Amino acid sequence: MLTRRIIPCLDVKNGRNVRGVRFSADVDAGDPVELAARYDAEGADELVFYDITASAEGRGIMVELVERVASQVFIPLSVGGGLRSADDMHRMLRSGAEKVSVNSAAHLNPDLIREGADRFGSQCVVLSIDALRDPGSDPPRWTVYLNGGRTRTELDAVATAQRGAELGAGEIVLNSIDADGTRDGYDLQLLRAVTDAVSIPVIASGGAGTLAHLRDAVTIGHAHAVLAASIFHFEVFSIQEAKTFMAAAGIPMRMDPYPQVPAADRV
Amino acid sequence: MIAVVDYGAGNIHSVARALAHVGADFEVTSDPSAVAAACGVVLPGVGAAADTMRGLRAARVDDPVVSAIQRGVPYLGVCMGLHVLFDHSDEDGGTPCLGVLPGVVTRFPDGLAVPHMGWNQVRPTADSELLAGIPPGANFYFVHSYFPQPSEASCVLATTDYGLTFTSAVQRGSLFATQFHPEKSGRLGLRVYANFTRLAGQTPAAEFA
């Protein structure tokens, strides 16, 4: 049986891992290569690197970083941030990434998804969506934002996810801007709206603060994978604790080869 | 020297990094004579069957690979390196393959999410040098839309469930091939490469001894 995945996310700025709160303030959370190795040792199922510098210079640093990580860490790596063309995607895949994640450029030019899927296969192409709940909307609606949450579009988040899947995206990372960095839990309504609308895997992102939040993203939000940053970076929980907790809730998880330990009492 | 056969396909660098990490003596090569002289042959691959067969023929490494297998040189096929061993793949409207193992490669039935992508359990059906030290039911990383259906049960080395039970590893003598990607399967995956390194007559790095 296919397991559900836990994916630590590393926001990388100028080659260092940083953590934003609601897409802004930076806190240095360590060296990305060291963190990647630690997460692998703890049992992470996949790693995501977002280049939040996303300048031409930053992308060069990112290629080197991915190469360094890929020579030490042997689990799937996903890279996003500022990828604007299929050639940008190709550079990342060649340097050792398994998947590339596209956001603003793909919303402005959806053919980028199709081109990436045609050249590299759907399994390589992840569509990242940053969604903000429309204030006061009932039933709720969510609008897509670009450029790290700074630029509003007219795009509906659920419709954008459906269109992305039709164009050939293999997965969707769904990030709630409202919940991002709050540690108050994922936006489960947003998650469920998207997982009900598409048949490709959806990765929950933004808001994880407790192990119950991770569990709920799968059991209530129907996410295939959960992405989290700060709760792992700052060692609030280990990945192993998260996996043990989710497995105890009946969710199929990859536990080997890491020893199974009792769930933490910090849930 | 282990030859990692480069015929223009995808994940060759991931495979090379994994072999380097376990201390294998290897070269990435498209030279038919290097394949012919190798003490072990690794055929990686992501992508489509027709492209893979075209790439092997264009590089003229198809015959050396088959010849090495027939001489009993340890062989490790990964993903497409498994598919091309069979008689035929349904992929790309039907693709004749190398015919080293009897059987066909077919697509997952409708109703299953395809590609089958992620971590899934591998259940060995026999003891083997390749999977030595791997706990039964351990998880490995898969990315594929087609799966092998060997016509001889004796070559099945492991199975995996995804809507149906399919063959996820094969063995015949020194020939081994996996549907999963050991190079993306963490420490247990590295163990598989270390085991293959040993099969090829080399001594892997101390941590994999």
Side-chain angles (χ1 to χ4, degrees):
Chain A
M1 186 191 287
L2 212 48
T3 60
R4 305 284 169 148
R5 290 165 281 157
I6 291 189
I7 308 176
C9 170
L10 292 84
D11 288 339
V12 180
K13 186 174 184 181
N14 300 321
R16 292 288 294 179
N17 180 57
V18 298
R19 179 64 211 140
V21 177
R22 290 203 185 169
F23 281 40
S24 54
D26 294 344
V27 182
D28 197 315
D31 174 54
V33 180
E34 275 174 32
L35 262 177
R38 190 186 103 202
Y39 289 146
D40 174 32
E42 286 185 2
D45 297 310
E46 200 167 316
L47 295 173
V48 171
F49 295 85
Y50 281 120
D51 175 12
I52 61 171
T53 352
S55 60
E57 185 194 359
R59 272 197 300 283
I61 295 170
M62 207 59 184
V63 165
E64 287 168 33
L65 176 64
V66 172
E67 282 174 353
R68 278 169 61 212
V69 173
S71 63
Q72 293 178 41
V73 174
F74 296 90
I75 56 176
L77 309 177
S78 184
V79 179
L83 302 179
R84 290 184 183 83
S85 66
D87 287 341
D88 284 348
M89 294 176 171
H90 184 62
R91 280 179 79 198
M92 290 302 173
L93 294 171
R94 207 178 43 194
S95 60
E98 200 72 11
K99 303 176 186 180
V100 284
S101 173
V102 287
N103 193 329
S104 300
H107 296 302
L108 297 171
N109 169 27
D111 278 345
L112 181 59
I113 300 169
R114 195 196 310 268
E115 195 184 344
D118 285 349
R119 271 182 69 180
F120 315 117
S122 283
Q123 80 283 349
C124 292
V125 181
V126 181
L127 176 63
S128 182
I129 298 174
D130 294 331
L132 187 74
R133 188 182 280 248
D134 293 352
S137 58
D138 185 27
R141 284 175 47 88
W142 295 266
T143 296
V144 176
Y145 277 67
L146 308 182
N147 302 319
R150 289 189 291 273
T151 310
R152 185 187 158 88
T153 70
E154 296 306 314
L155 300 168
D156 174 74
V158 175
T160 299
Q162 287 174 314
R163 182 144 174 255
E166 283 161 16
L167 287 166
E171 275 181 343
I172 288 169
V173 169
L174 184 61
N175 189 55
S176 161
I177 298 174
D178 306 273
D180 187 68
T182 64
R183 302 193 192 180
D184 290 336
Y186 298 100
D187 184 337
L188 296 177
Q189 282 184 310
L190 168 64
L191 251 182
R192 190 59 182 269
V194 172
T195 55
D196 281 350
V198 300
S199 59
I200 59 176
V202 176
I203 301 170
S205 168
T210 68
L211 300 182
H213 292 154
L214 303 179
R215 175 198 62 203
D216 292 348
V218 175
T219 57
I220 300 172
H222 293 181
H224 286 72
V226 291
L227 187 144
S230 48
I231 64 166
F232 297 133
H233 296 335
F234 298 115
E235 304 188 45
V236 180
F237 300 106
S238 72
I239 289 166
Q240 195 180 107
E241 283 172 328
K243 288 186 140 184
T244 304
F245 180 81
M246 291 171 79
I251 299 169
M253 304 299 295
R254 162 183 168 252
M255 300 305 298
D256 46 79
Y258 313 98
Q260 301 202 15
V261 294
D265 54 5
R266 285 176 281 164
V267 174
Chain B
M1 184 84 84
I2 294 170
V4 180
V5 184
D6 181 5
Y7 55 94
N11 63 335
I12 197 140
H13 299 295
S14 303
V15 171
R17 285 187 189 101
L19 282 167
H21 198 80
V22 302
D25 180 22
F26 70 97
E27 63 175 329
V28 175
T29 182
S30 55
D31 177 0
S33 60
V35 176
C39 65
V41 173
V42 179
L43 191 64
V46 288
D51 284 346
T52 304
M53 286 304 299
R54 248 195 313 273
L56 289 171
R57 290 204 183 97
R60 288 193 272 175
V61 289
D62 50 339
D63 288 342
V65 166
V66 172
S67 162
I69 290 170
Q70 286 167 346
R71 282 182 284 118
V73 174
Y75 170 95
L76 177 61
V78 175
C79 196
M80 287 312 303
L82 165 65
H83 290 186
V84 295
L85 295 174
F86 288 91
D87 296 317
H88 177 91
S89 171
D90 287 346
E91 197 171 9
D92 301 314
T95 303
C97 295
L98 297 174
V100 174
L101 294 175
V104 296
V105 176
T106 57
R107 191 176 166 87
F108 282 113
D110 291 345
L112 287 173
V114 171
H116 169 225
M117 177 172 64
W119 297 84
N120 204 334
Q121 297 87 53
V122 171
R123 296 195 172 78
T125 53
D127 289 337
S128 69
E129 289 163 286
L130 188 75
L131 301 182
I134 307 291
N139 289 280
F140 285 84
Y141 191 74
F142 288 83
V143 183
H144 62 125
S145 301
Y146 290 76
F147 65 96
Q149 293 189 302
S151 47
E152 286 176 9
S154 61
C155 72
V156 176
L157 179 59
T159 63
T160 294
D161 294 337
Y162 184 61
L164 47 82
T165 299
F166 69 91
T167 299
S168 52
V170 299
Q171 175 185 9
R172 194 168 71 186
S174 299
L175 172 158
F176 296 89
T178 65
Q179 179 61 72
F180 48 88
H181 290 272
E183 67 280 2
K184 287 289 170 185
S185 296
R187 283 188 274 187
L188 292 181
L190 292 172
R191 165 74 56 187
V192 172
Y193 281 105
N195 288 345
F196 182 75
T197 301
R198 202 175 289 111
L199 274 161
Q202 299 179 359
T203 305
E207 64 177 299
F208 298 100

